[in-house]
Amino acid sequence: MKKLLFIIIGALALGAVFTAAGAAAKTEKNLTERPDLERIRAEVLDPKSPYYYPKLMERYEKNETVMNLQDYRHLYYGYLFQEDFNPYRHSEASTKNESLYYKNGHTRAELDSIITYAKEALADNPFDLTQMNFLIYALRARGKVNLANIWQYRLNHLLEAIVSSGTGADKENAWYVINPRHEYNIINFQNAVVKDQQYEDPYYDRMEVEKKSGKEHATYYFNIRNLLEEYYRKFPDKQ
């Protein structure tokens, strides 16, 4: 799984910032704060708001590099309130790509398949961070550096949006995620692995983490209240 951390990302102190080779992201300092999800809901659903979700997604898809951290926070957390939101949806393309990606070495044809599957998965779930990682790897391997950099920029800023929600150090400062898989993305992109995961009432995931060197251990907390509320609102039979 040596390619798992193809994107080299580091977490820095309280206002954690993710960087990666080829990324053009600039971090806005002192914006680490718990997301006001009621305000975000109102703004992304308001056609008069600069954060109205269809317009925000249009800017994202046009690869606007002027989108700032607040834009990305509204983009990421605003997805909670879109009709197609389902944090437990997993596409067939994602499953196929995971099997292919973890092979040792890839032919040009296999790299092209990774790109195709990743794009299909992202069309179904625009914030599948794992598939973004796969896509960036395959694009770079095929020499499509400019396109890889665009996806790198998107991934960096989405990760920034998550880590700007807290420090992850305790429940009070837990990171907010809209998909449980993003918990593992945050950990893996720090060159670490999850050794144990436990759900703690009323709505937290506690992750026991070990750095790849095996010499450093940490505990991180993720707040999953809002993803659960939205999921059960849409799928009450799953409660």
Side-chain angles (χ1 to χ4, degrees):
M1 296 186 182
K2 59 184 178 182
K3 296 186 297 300
L4 180 61
L5 296 169
F6 180 83
I7 301 171
I8 305 171
I9 299 175
L12 305 178
L14 296 180
V17 177
F18 289 90
T19 59
K26 291 186 178 180
T27 304
E28 297 174 62
K29 298 180 180 179
N30 303 320
L31 285 179
T32 299
E33 61 180 357
R34 186 180 306 169
D36 184 342
L37 290 164
E38 286 305 311
R39 178 174 59 82
I40 289 175
R41 181 205 294 267
E43 290 176 335
V44 300
L45 297 179
D46 180 3
K48 297 180 181 179
S49 167
Y51 298 118
Y52 182 50
Y53 208 79
K55 294 180 181 178
L56 201 57
M57 181 57 75
E58 183 179 6
R59 293 177 60 196
Y60 173 76
E61 291 175 343
K62 286 183 177 179
N63 305 319
E64 285 195 15
T65 57
V66 295
M67 289 180 68
N68 59 31
L69 180 56
Q70 286 299 338
D71 293 329
Y72 269 89
R73 283 167 64 94
H74 281 76
L75 185 74
Y76 179 75
Y77 293 111
Y79 191 53
L80 280 166
F81 312 115
Q82 305 309 301
E83 283 306 310
D84 66 337
F85 172 74
N86 180 352
Y88 299 105
R89 184 173 66 230
H90 196 63
S91 69
E92 182 179 352
S94 296
T95 302
K96 290 179 179 179
N97 222 15
E98 287 165 4
S99 298
L100 180 57
Y101 177 79
Y102 290 115
K103 290 181 59 177
N104 288 321
H106 296 105
T107 65
R108 293 178 64 178
E110 287 172 335
L111 290 170
D112 289 341
S113 292
I114 290 173
I115 292 170
T116 298
Y117 288 143
K119 287 182 176 179
E120 287 180 12
L122 288 163
D124 179 66
N125 176 5
F127 303 128
D128 188 328
L129 305 185
T130 299
Q131 294 299 322
M132 283 191 193
N133 190 21
F134 293 174
L135 180 58
I136 292 166
Y137 156 73
L139 288 171
R140 290 198 189 282
R142 289 290 278 120
K144 300 179 180 181
V145 177
N146 290 338
L147 190 53
N149 287 345
I150 289 171
W151 282 101
Q152 183 77 77
Y153 182 91
R154 290 174 171 178
L155 177 57
N156 284 357
H157 282 74
L158 290 168
L159 290 168
E160 264 192 278
I162 297 171
V163 298
S164 75
S165 65
T167 67
D170 50 38
K171 291 182 180 180
E172 182 66 22
N173 297 286
W175 285 316
Y176 284 65
V177 291
I178 65 170
N179 189 308
R181 288 174 172 263
H182 295 170
E183 300 173 355
Y184 290 86
N185 293 135
I186 291 293
I187 302 304
N188 291 337
F189 288 146
Q190 295 183 65
N191 199 29
V193 294
V194 176
K195 304 302 291 185
D196 186 52
Q197 182 270 335
Q198 295 290 333
Y199 175 78
E200 293 189 0
D201 288 330
Y203 39 72
Y204 297 98
D205 279 339
R206 187 189 78 239
M207 314 289 273
E208 301 296 334
V209 171
E210 181 181 280
K211 296 290 186 178
K212 287 293 181 70
S213 64
K215 297 179 180 179
E216 186 177 344
H217 300 264
T219 301
Y220 294 122
Y221 289 87
F222 293 87
N223 187 314
I224 59 173
R225 173 182 178 177
N226 299 92
L227 81 82
L228 291 176
E229 286 181 347
E230 289 303 313
Y231 179 70
Y232 292 137
R233 180 183 66 82
K234 293 179 66 175
F235 306 99
D237 58 314
K238 301 296 185 181
Q239 296 192 54

